[in-house]
């Protein structure tokens, strides 16, 4: 007889499952690949729905192929009807139709948490979304989100303002960002490179939290936005409230950036180091 003791299913620990809906980065540093790494490193189980395939490396994006809409829908139905998905992170959605189908499926399956990273421009400066799709994103998806995580150019594009050049400019964006309809907005100040610290604003309907981290001098920042939003979704799935999940996500991405130069990947903007330790949970 086998000495292996059968495990009662009721005794199995809860597995936090997080879905990433995003584009594939063939270079492995951003998109679906970064999302899965971040979710895994922070202690969750990652599943995925691929919305586009990019021909991409650390130097830039040379081609984007949107996945046929029918197959995006089939991927969504496949994972939602089988897996107990607690949190969803949405990244690159290249056109209006994909945004609409993702929003419809979020409404249909109603996951507990939705994190939207409004990916519009790659680290290299390449445009990743059709300009007409921005209005669809604002109308269909952002109002469903528990939190959206724009950087400064993305935040400016969403509310039709100039890109901030100071923290005072960031503060002036608060009202416009609240009007997008998400429950919270994390406005990331990493583009203010003249500042000693990287300062973010976590904007709630009735208050604002200032989050600060030491700025790290490295060119290896490819996939930072994907990684941070995925970590936040992961920590939400594990039962943290929104403020705590953002704080933990900020700590995680700071460490991943701090260890980025330990990797030698590509000739351009290299990726962050998702697995900077054997077990990357942040306490």
């Amino acid at each position: 007889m086998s000495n292996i003791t059968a495990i009662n299913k009721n005794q199995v620990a809860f597995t936090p499952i997080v879905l990433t809906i995003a584009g594939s980065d063939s270079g492995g540093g951003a998109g679906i690949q970064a999302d899965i790494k971040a979710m895994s490193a922070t202690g969750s189980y990652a599943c995925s729905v691929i919305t586009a395939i990019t021909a991409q490396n650390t130097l830039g994006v040379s081609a984007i192929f949107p996945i046929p809409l029918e197959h995006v829908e089939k991927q969504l139905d496949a994972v939602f009807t089988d897996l107990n998905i607690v949190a969803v992170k949405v990244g690159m959605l290249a056109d209006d139709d994909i945004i609409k189908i993702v929003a419809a499926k979020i409404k249909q399956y109603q996951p507990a948490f939705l994190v939207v990273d409004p990916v519009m421009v790659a680290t290299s400066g390449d445009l990743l979304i059709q300009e007409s799709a921005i209005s669809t994103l604002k109308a269909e998806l952002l109002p469903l989100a528990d939190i959206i995580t724009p950087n400064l150019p993305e935040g400016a594009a969403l509310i039709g303002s100039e890109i901030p050049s100071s923290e005072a400019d960031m503060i002036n964006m608060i009202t416009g960002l609240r009007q997008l309809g998400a429950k919270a907005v994390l406005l990331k100040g990493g583009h203010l490179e003249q500042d000693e610290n990287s300062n973010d604003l976590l904007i709630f309907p009735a208050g604002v939290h200032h989050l600060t981290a030491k700025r790290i001098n490295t060119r290896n920042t490819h996939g930072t936005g994907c990684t941070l939003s995925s970590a936040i979704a992961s920590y939400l799935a594990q039962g943290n409230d929104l403020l705590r999940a953002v704080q933990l996500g900020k700590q995680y991405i700071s460490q991943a950036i701090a260890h980025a130069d330990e990797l030698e990947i590509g000739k351009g903007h290299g990726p962050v180091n998702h697995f900077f330790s054997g077990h990357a949970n942040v306490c």
Side-chain angles (χ1 to χ4, degrees):
M1 290 182 63
S2 170
N3 291 324
I4 299 175
T5 303
I7 298 175
N8 185 326
K9 192 171 184 179
N10 294 329
Q11 295 175 330
V12 176
F14 167 73
T15 302
I17 301 177
V18 187
L19 168 64
T20 167
I21 306 173
S24 169
D25 172 7
S26 53
I32 286 283
Q33 287 82 351
D35 296 345
I36 291 173
K37 292 173 187 177
M39 292 168 183
S40 302
T42 54
S44 295
Y45 178 86
C47 55
S48 64
V49 167
I50 298 177
T51 61
I53 298 172
T54 68
Q56 184 175 175
N57 56 28
T58 64
L59 297 172
V61 180
S62 57
I64 299 174
F65 175 72
I67 299 297
L69 189 63
E70 179 183 4
H71 194 66
V72 173
E73 184 174 10
K74 288 184 180 298
Q75 289 179 80
L76 288 162
D77 288 333
V79 292
F80 273 118
T81 55
D82 180 45
L83 307 181
N84 180 25
I85 295 167
V86 181
V88 174
K89 172 265 169 82
V90 175
M92 177 187 171
L93 303 177
D95 59 44
D96 300 76
D97 290 337
I98 289 180
I99 293 170
K100 289 176 181 177
I101 194 64
V102 168
K105 291 301 179 181
I106 293 295
K107 291 176 183 176
Q108 177 181 347
Y109 292 109
Q110 298 186 2
F113 301 104
L114 175 62
V115 178
V116 178
D117 182 19
V119 178
M120 299 177 189
V121 181
T123 303
S124 58
D126 294 290
L127 189 66
L128 297 174
I129 185 173
Q130 296 176 1
E131 291 192 19
S132 62
I134 296 175
S135 60
T136 305
L137 185 72
K138 291 167 62 175
E140 299 285 342
L141 192 60
L142 299 191
L144 304 177
D146 291 277
I147 185 169
I148 64 175
T149 61
N151 60 29
L152 298 186
E154 292 162 348
L158 288 171
I159 65 173
S161 72
E162 295 293 323
I163 298 175
S165 59
S166 67
E167 190 168 353
D169 290 342
M170 290 175 62
I171 291 170
N172 288 335
M173 297 174 67
I174 289 174
T175 298
L177 290 169
R178 281 179 172 149
Q179 292 173 349
L180 295 172
K183 293 177 184 175
V185 179
L186 180 65
L187 181 62
K188 300 174 296 188
H191 281 73
L192 298 181
E193 295 181 357
Q194 74 276 12
D195 291 352
E196 180 180 356
N197 295 321
S198 178
N199 299 315
D200 303 339
L201 300 180
L202 178 56
I203 303 164
F204 290 104
V208 178
H209 292 267
H210 293 252
L211 304 174
T212 298
K214 187 74 173 176
R215 185 175 297 279
I216 298 158
N217 184 23
T218 177
R219 70 195 302 247
N220 296 326
T221 57
H222 185 48
T224 51
C226 305
T227 299
L228 174 58
S229 55
S230 296
I232 291 170
S234 178
Y235 288 124
L236 284 170
Q238 294 169 30
N240 295 283
D241 64 29
L242 188 53
L243 175 58
R244 183 60 177 157
V246 171
Q247 290 171 331
L248 289 171
K250 179 85 169 172
Q251 291 176 39
Y252 171 73
I253 188 60
S254 295
Q255 288 296 308
I257 295 171
H259 290 269
D261 288 351
E262 296 171 4
L263 302 176
E264 187 176 348
I265 310 292
K267 302 179 182 68
H269 292 283
V272 302
N273 189 346
H274 295 89
F275 299 103
F276 53 83
S277 66
H279 186 64
N281 274 323
V282 181
C283 298

